[in-house]
Amino acid sequence: MNDLKEDLDRALRAVTFGEAPVERAKQSGRRIRTRRRVALLAGALAVVAVAAGYPALARNSAAPAAPATGTKSPAPHDRPYGGDPVITDSAPGGTTRAAGGLATSGGMVAQGTMGGVPWQVSVNGHGAANSAQPDSCITVSVTSADDLSGSCAGFPAFKAGLPNGGDPVMFTGISDTVTGATVGEAASVVSYVVVNFTDGQQLKLIPVTAHGHRYVAWIAPLTMTISNVVAHLGGPYSDSGVTVTAIPFDQSGQMPVFGQWQQQGQRVPAKASGVIGGGVVGSHTLWSAFAYVGPWGTCVVVNAQGFVCMPFGPVSTVTILGPVKSSVSGQQLIIGDVPAGVATVRVVLTGGKAVTGRPVAVGESRLFAVAVTGDATPTRWTSYDAAGHQVDAASVPPPSSTGVVP
């Protein structure tokens, strides 16, 4: 995160903030001390746990009749990808060919090696092995990653067909401080998935059905970053030639966030970043919000420690996200995305207090962040143009549990 912190420090020095919106930032705040972290990347919000680094990942030696793609994997002891160890990924032994594609009765959906170290990912449906979770959960086993291995991590079952109203694959992730496991539920039209890493390596993932849902999975050190993920569409055993591509928000040392899928020929949103809010006293930063927009949608890094993502770009009406829990005790952030023509947004909180957001242009988006204390939640917003005339107003839907994990 050093590059992020340097970018943030430079940007904050160039921005003049008003009076600090919080009386005091207490550094003894809420911190997630467990090293095992889960990120659900679904619906209108993706909240991701930020973790530290490790060296790397690689390619897949996958199964059936879809055409082979990617580069040939060197031997695990070779390190041709900038020092990244090679990882293999394949459908587990014992799978059978069913009408909906490869299937497993034991729950294991993927296996491979990371630099020669074996790993596997299993999905447990609700039952004796998963009595605490209402839906499926994932179990990860890595020989050298004790914190990643262990109890089942919840993975809500998505609707059949195309999850999330059109996404070919919905991803969730679990990580310790060095290694991350990404698991995706694939729609019935997905033939296979190709994961392209920035160091040139590839994984080709064949969906495996367990407990009525099709899954793909891979494990990688958190320092391995992803260029894009390509879903090949057609059917379980056929490739129509149609693909859709997702470019994640993926910083070294963090889990990737997949927000938007681009169809072939569709314009890829440009990448941009900038400060959208913050408070300082002298040279001390009380809080900060740094936004990254691009093909993934919008991700806001809070206090240079954790981040929250919205998988969409520019909006046609004011969109309020929050409250987003900060790493500072007692502090929450209200984040907004506004259309062109809006100069300020007044957000009314529970209890009657109101805060004002002043949008900042970041690429094609216009964003703001304001900090509030206590447990107040946004209830209504009113937007104004530069002349102070009201543009629009609406109530804010009840918030879901939204947190930024440091």
Side-chain angles (χ1 to χ4, degrees):
M1 298 286 287
N2 288 338
D3 291 342
L4 169 62
K5 290 181 178 179
E6 291 175 2
D7 290 344
L8 185 59
D9 289 341
R10 285 194 297 270
L12 285 171
R13 286 195 294 269
V15 175
T16 301
F17 295 111
E19 182 180 355
V22 292
E23 295 180 0
R24 194 171 185 178
K26 297 179 181 179
Q27 297 302 322
S28 59
R30 172 182 174 272
R31 292 182 181 273
I32 303 300
R33 298 193 182 277
T34 53
R35 300 177 69 195
R36 194 163 174 271
R37 304 165 180 181
V38 178
L40 174 62
L41 316 181
L45 173 68
V47 181
V48 178
V50 176
Y54 187 105
L57 176 62
R59 137 173 193 108
N60 163 316
S61 54
T69 62
T71 58
K72 181 180 179 181
S73 296
H77 62 272
D78 294 334
R79 302 174 71 85
Y81 299 114
D84 294 339
V86 172
I87 290 185
T88 63
D89 188 311
S90 66
T95 56
T96 58
R97 289 174 64 92
L102 293 183
T104 175
S105 59
M108 189 188 302
V109 295
Q111 65 181 8
T113 60
M114 180 172 59
V117 177
W119 63 264
Q120 65 184 45
V121 173
S122 297
V123 175
N124 296 321
H126 184 70
N130 177 28
S131 59
Q133 301 287 346
D135 297 306
S136 298
C137 65
I138 56 176
T139 301
V140 177
S141 175
V142 185
T143 302
S144 63
D146 293 338
D147 289 329
L148 190 60
S149 304
S151 61
C152 232
F155 189 174
F158 301 113
K159 295 180 180 179
L162 285 177
N164 198 30
D167 290 352
V169 186
M170 294 293 292
F171 292 102
T172 190
I174 180 172
S175 73
D176 60 14
T177 56
V178 294
T179 308
T182 301
V183 181
E185 182 185 336
S188 58
V189 297
V190 174
S191 176
Y192 60 95
V193 176
V194 175
V195 183
N196 295 298
F197 296 90
T198 54
D199 68 356
Q201 301 183 64
Q202 281 188 334
L203 296 171
K204 179 182 171 186
L205 312 178
I206 307 298
V208 174
T209 298
H211 307 289
H213 298 270
R214 307 176 75 221
Y215 298 99
V216 294
W218 71 88
I219 287 181
L222 291 173
T223 50
M224 172 69 72
T225 55
I226 295 172
S227 174
N228 59 59
V229 171
V230 182
H232 290 248
L233 309 182
Y237 301 109
S238 63
D239 182 0
S240 67
V242 176
T243 62
V244 288
T245 302
I247 300 174
F249 178 66
D250 191 15
Q251 295 186 319
S252 180
Q254 303 174 9
M255 293 290 291
V257 178
F258 299 88
Q260 298 177 324
W261 290 85
Q262 273 84 40
Q263 299 180 358
Q264 292 166 298
Q266 183 178 347
R267 185 181 72 88
V268 177
K271 299 177 182 180
S273 61
V275 173
I276 63 169
V280 296
V281 173
S283 61
H284 178 61
T285 300
L286 288 180
W287 69 276
S288 61
F290 197 97
Y292 292 83
V293 301
W296 51 82
T298 301
C299 291
V300 179
V301 177
V302 178
N303 297 337
Q305 294 183 27
F307 59 89
V308 61
C309 290
M310 301 171 285
F312 48 79
V315 296
S316 58
T317 187
V318 173
T319 301
I320 302 295
L321 174 66
V324 176
K325 294 180 181 179
S326 166
S327 58
V328 177
S329 178
Q331 182 190 78
Q332 301 184 109
L333 265 62
I334 308 297
I335 297 171
D337 196 344
V338 309
V342 172
T344 60
V345 179
R346 183 175 185 268
V347 182
V348 178
L349 308 173
T350 52
K353 181 181 178 179
V355 294
T356 299
R358 293 174 172 79
V360 176
V362 182
E364 298 177 354
S365 296
R366 304 187 70 249
L367 308 163
F368 70 84
V370 292
V372 297
T373 56
D375 298 324
T377 61
T379 61
R380 187 171 180 82
W381 58 263
T382 305
S383 61
Y384 302 89
D385 62 19
H389 301 134
Q390 180 175 326
V391 176
D392 201 358
S395 59
V396 178
S400 58
S401 178
T402 304
V404 172
V405 182

